[in-house]
Amino acid sequence: MKNIVLARIDDRLLHGQVVVSWIPNVKANEVVIVDNEYADDEFMSELIKNASPENIKVNLFDVAGAADYLKGEDDGSRILILSRYIENINELINLNVEIKCVNVGGLGNVKGRERYLNSIHLSSRELEILKDISKKNIAVEIKMLPNDKTVSVE
Amino acid sequence: MTALEFFLISILYFWASSTALSLGIGYYTIYRPVVSGFMTGLILGDPFLGMMTGAVVNIIYMNFVSTGGSFKGDQCLTAVVAAAAAVKLGVGPVEAASFAYPFGYLGILIWKYRLNINSIFVNKYEKDYENGKNPDISFYDGLYPQLLLYVMSSIIVGAAFLIMSVFDNIIMDYYENIKLFLFMAGMFLVSFSVINILSNLKNKYAYLSFEIFFLAVIIFDISSYWFFLAAAIILFVLSNKSIRIHNKRSNKNNNISNKDLMYSWFIWMNFSHSCYSYDRLQGLAFAHSMKNIFKKLYKDKDEVSRAIHSHAEFFNTEPNMGTPIHGYIISVEEQSSLNANHTDTAYIKKGMMGIAAGLGDSYTQVVLTPLFISLSVMMCLDGIYIAAFLPILYLAGSILFISYSGWMNGYYTGREYLMERINTVKNSKVKKHFLHIFSGILGVAAAKLILSGLEPSNTVYTLEAVALSAAAYWVIKRSKR
């Protein structure tokens, strides 16, 4: 099993807050993006890989591919998982990928979602999934930036 | 302070902190202490003293980066108060900077509540749309939030000056007694900021560059003109001169003219953060920038309103680097209006915006801004004021070029342009050598501050303040672990 330092759920995937704040904060050197749609779209996957920050390896997989990859041998890299959907992270956990901490930040207000905290919006179903995850002894933290106050879901 | 001075300063603070109505460059220019200090000084009668004070404040905020509406302290309000204290009360620049520092926390109140309050306009727009009223997006994204922001800004400026007037008498009566304390606190803040920046650079050649330039200036007192000239030459050599703006039409069917494109770019640049809210961030601004485009593409009023509304959902990117998205979306919308079929642009926008934001923040805010602002600060601290505007003008020009070329090229060459842009930034030589150039400039600036008009009796206190800040930094770092 590879060393997963954090799994972040964020609409914007690899964007400013992640590049400037989170990657240095958790000392990650590899990013795994879990996204079924983008993994299927040639332009988007090339774009995402091209945009990888310096010295950071970026991989893009669908959920099944990501589970296979993450269960591979630990090569010493520190992995930050990014996904737009809580469901994807939940599926990874159900596929026995070892995730210790789930961070929720930056989920837009789409139909069915309610504002939870600042720019973080969650549907009741998504909140249920987060609660289930936290019952498995996985830390679920809702915060935009590393130094923000942590709101835990229990 | 007269009523006119108060009015002008409240306008200045509103204009600088709104980041709107300044063609998108206000955030990189008038919001920065070196410029807002100058403008405050201009209003109060001593522009260059204001600029010098602003430069000191600017060092304290040199490592400031905002991503997705996150903020530390309000550098602009700090600079306004500091410059006012320096000009009106005759306090020295370093003393004024430390006196004004706590006011920065008053300023962030606006940012904290602005993102909440703006949801009112989002909701009102949505409600009017649902009721079939075809709401005019320019009111909800432009006029209303800006009016409200002006009221909030003038209240904050009013409160700041009220607090200041309470301290006026105390400072005037006991200035000789507290001068030393303010001076040491100011030096402490400056030195703490420099140590923090250097340790975050995590690059031994950057430390070396800082040390060499710092010591060279302390020992030989070299004029910063030389460093300015050297930096200008190096940056010119390193800069990418191959970027072109495409504006040749290949398709005769185009309804959208270059003038339309320019106008929608103009709206975006002026209002990208005008109705910045937690629910949508720049969503309403994106829709606002599409208004003239849809008016051109559709004749039916309901159809125009529907199209604009479809772009009002959550959107957030780096406003200058991300413009190929807008250009490309305009071309997609144009094609779907011609073929009368609907393309799902939401999915494309979402995928591209995060990438452009990551790329943009790590370039415009992390590389370009500190580079040119520090050059300006360095000149100011050496008493060279007029030339200190050159780096700021150049920074503003670069930002405009980045955003305008992205907009046009996104429209004419498609979404591949974002890919091209990523590679340009990745291979940027300025970015590659940024650390060494920036830390060198910072070294000169720090040395100039120490040399600038400090009486020899202050040398010991300066050293004490630097030692204290180093110790404080070490303690904080250790306690965080």
Side-chain angles (χ1 to χ4, degrees):
Chain A
M1 181 67 70
K2 289 183 190 282
N3 180 15
I4 298 161
V5 288
L6 184 73
R8 170 155 170 118
I9 299 150
D10 191 325
D11 272 344
R12 293 163 290 176
L13 297 174
L14 200 57
H15 67 110
Q17 290 176 346
V18 173
V19 175
V20 177
S21 302
W22 282 103
I23 290 180
N25 183 269
V26 298
K27 299 190 179 71
N29 55 14
E30 182 175 343
V31 172
V32 170
I33 295 174
V34 186
D35 199 303
N36 294 336
E37 285 167 278
Y38 291 149
D40 246 11
D41 182 326
E42 210 177 304
F43 175 80
M44 283 310 298
S45 51
E46 203 189 328
L47 190 67
I48 288 168
K49 283 182 193 171
N50 240 303
S52 60
E54 236 171 294
N55 306 324
I56 305 284
K57 198 167 124 192
V58 176
N59 279 309
L60 175 69
F61 297 106
D62 57 12
V63 174
D68 282 345
Y69 178 76
L70 293 168
K71 283 194 224 161
E73 204 178 317
D74 184 1
D75 52 4
S77 58
R78 296 172 61 82
I79 296 177
L80 172 72
I81 298 180
L82 288 175
S83 179
R84 291 185 290 154
Y85 303 110
I86 291 162
E87 286 86 347
N88 288 353
I89 301 295
N90 193 37
E91 268 186 66
L92 286 182
I93 293 169
N94 291 340
L95 289 166
N96 296 321
V97 172
E98 203 181 300
I99 291 172
K100 291 171 226 90
C101 182
V102 175
N103 165 262
V104 183
L107 289 179
N109 188 5
V110 294
K111 268 217 173 92
R113 275 188 187 156
E114 293 263 328
R115 170 131 171 241
Y116 190 85
L117 181 82
N118 296 348
S119 348
I120 300 161
H121 302 78
L122 294 169
S123 69
S124 50
R125 206 184 109 71
E126 285 170 325
L127 201 56
E128 279 310 308
I129 298 176
L130 288 177
K131 283 179 183 163
D132 284 346
I133 294 176
S134 119
K135 277 181 198 139
K136 292 171 187 162
N137 270 333
I138 296 168
V140 177
E141 297 178 349
I142 300 193
K143 62 174 169 181
M144 296 296 281
L145 290 167
N147 292 335
D148 287 354
K149 210 175 88 192
T150 304
V151 177
S152 300
V153 172
E154 272 153 22
Chain B
M1 180 163 305
T2 65
L4 178 69
E5 286 169 343
F6 171 74
F7 174 70
L8 289 175
I9 288 181
S10 69
I11 292 274
L12 165 68
Y13 179 61
F14 154 71
W15 193 35
S17 68
S18 104
T19 72
L21 306 167
S22 51
L23 207 53
I25 51 175
Y27 175 66
Y28 303 92
T29 54
I30 38 180
Y31 184 67
R32 305 290 152 170
V34 65
V35 184
S36 39
F38 165 79
M39 292 173 98
T40 307
L42 193 68
I43 293 167
L44 298 178
D46 193 343
F48 295 133
L49 180 60
M51 197 170 184
M52 170 79 176
T53 311
V56 177
V57 175
N58 216 140
I59 297 190
I60 300 173
Y61 283 100
M62 193 63 86
N63 65 341
F64 166 91
V65 174
S66 153
T67 50
S70 52
F71 266 80
K72 285 173 200 138
D74 189 338
Q75 50 183 331
C76 182
L77 190 66
T78 312
V80 168
V81 172
V87 175
K88 283 283 175 184
L89 307 180
V91 184
V94 177
E95 290 87 346
S98 68
F99 168 72
Y101 188 71
F103 289 90
Y105 291 91
L106 185 65
I108 41 175
L109 283 178
I110 282 198
W111 274 98
K112 222 173 149 184
Y113 293 108
R114 192 174 154 187
L115 275 86
N116 281 308
I117 288 176
N118 281 341
S119 295
I120 301 170
F121 305 113
V122 175
N123 293 337
K124 185 83 178 72
Y125 170 74
E126 285 298 330
K127 215 170 159 191
D128 281 5
Y129 178 76
E130 269 169 37
N131 295 337
K133 284 188 190 159
N134 292 348
D136 187 345
I137 187 94
S138 26
F139 287 105
Y140 297 99
D141 182 57
L143 186 67
Y144 302 150
Q146 289 304 304
L147 276 179
L148 180 69
L149 186 63
Y150 175 66
V151 173
M152 294 196 329
S153 304
S154 52
I155 291 171
I156 293 279
V157 171
F161 284 112
L162 202 67
I163 299 169
M164 232 178 112
S165 69
V166 174
F167 283 101
D168 264 16
N169 295 328
I170 305 172
I171 288 189
M172 294 316 254
D173 292 349
Y174 301 98
Y175 185 55
E176 283 312 310
N177 301 334
I178 55 170
K179 187 179 183 325
L180 186 60
F181 169 75
L182 285 176
F183 175 78
M184 280 189 69
M187 279 315 220
F188 175 89
L189 288 169
V190 167
S191 154
F192 190 86
S193 164
V194 172
I195 293 171
N196 190 22
I197 293 168
L198 288 176
S199 79
N200 283 339
L201 293 180
K202 294 191 179 75
N203 180 307
K204 60 182 177 204
Y205 295 108
Y207 305 148
L208 198 65
S209 169
F210 177 87
E211 291 295 334
I212 290 172
F213 285 96
F214 179 77
L215 289 175
V217 172
I218 289 281
I219 296 167
F220 302 110
D221 196 8
I222 309 162
S223 163
S224 52
Y225 270 124
W226 293 109
F227 299 107
F228 178 72
L229 199 66
I233 294 169
I234 292 170
L235 289 173
F236 179 77
V237 172
L238 296 179
S239 67
N240 185 330
K241 295 172 246 346
S242 68
I243 302 165
R244 297 281 171 271
I245 299 176
H246 301 270
N247 53 11
K248 289 275 170 301
R249 15 209 67 234
S250 52
N251 190 342
K252 286 252 164 69
N253 279 333
N254 290 18
N255 285 330
I256 307 284
S257 67
N258 281 341
K259 224 171 120 190
D260 296 330
L261 287 172
M262 204 187 246
Y263 185 74
S264 82
W265 171 73
F266 178 81
I267 294 291
W268 169 253
M269 289 304 274
N270 273 316
F271 296 103
S272 70
H273 289 73
S274 173
C275 186
Y276 208 46
S277 72
Y278 280 126
D279 336 31
R280 304 291 175 94
L281 292 177
Q282 303 157 343
L284 253 57
F286 194 102
H288 189 181
S289 73
M290 294 295 136
K291 183 181 156 187
N292 73 314
I293 300 292
F294 287 126
K295 276 185 147 174
K296 195 84 182 252
L297 295 178
Y298 300 107
K299 291 285 159 280
D300 178 49
K301 265 192 181 161
D302 290 343
E303 187 73 355
V304 172
S305 187
R306 180 206 58 78
I308 293 171
H309 179 258
S310 74
H311 281 287
E313 61 194 16
F314 181 88
F315 184 79
N316 193 40
T317 193
E318 202 281 339
N320 311 297
M321 207 57 101
T323 50
I325 304 171
H326 304 67
Y328 172 63
I329 293 294
I330 292 172
S331 73
V332 172
E333 288 291 355
E334 187 183 26
Q335 284 314 309
S336 28
S337 78
L338 290 172
N339 308 333
N341 66 350
H342 180 71
T343 319
D344 179 23
T345 50
Y347 157 77
I348 311 168
K349 269 164 74 181
K350 268 198 178 164
M352 290 170 80
M353 71 186 191
I355 289 178
L359 178 81
D361 284 336
S362 64
Y363 191 62
T364 54
Q365 288 204 70
V366 177
V367 174
L368 291 183
T369 310
L371 199 57
F372 292 105
I373 293 291
S374 65
L375 266 176
S376 178
V377 165
M378 171 188 87
M379 305 287 276
C380 287
L381 295 177
D382 203 9
I384 303 165
Y385 298 111
I386 301 294
F389 281 101
L390 289 175
I392 291 170
L393 291 175
Y394 190 83
L395 174 64
S398 310
I399 299 288
L400 287 177
F401 180 76
I402 289 170
S403 84
Y404 183 69
S405 62
W407 197 283
M408 300 306 273
N409 293 351
Y411 176 79
Y412 284 108
T413 63
R415 60 181 184 173
E416 284 69 23
Y417 187 69
L418 189 60
M419 194 92 83
E420 198 181 317
R421 177 159 268 193
I422 289 167
N423 292 324
T424 311
V425 172
K426 265 187 149 176
N427 299 326
S428 159
K429 289 188 192 132
V430 173
K431 190 177 182 178
K432 195 175 158 203
H433 297 285
F434 161 73
L435 287 185
H436 315 113
I437 306 172
F438 172 64
S439 52
I441 299 168
L442 202 60
V444 178
K448 286 292 174 192
L449 176 64
I450 290 178
L451 293 176
S452 71
L454 299 188
E455 304 107 64
S457 62
N458 271 342
T459 319
V460 177
Y461 299 123
T462 304
L463 287 175
E464 272 177 34
V466 172
L468 265 176
S469 69
Y473 185 79
W474 185 74
V475 170
I476 290 172
K477 268 274 150 167
R478 269 187 71 100
S479 67
K480 269 191 181 166
R481 246 172 232 158

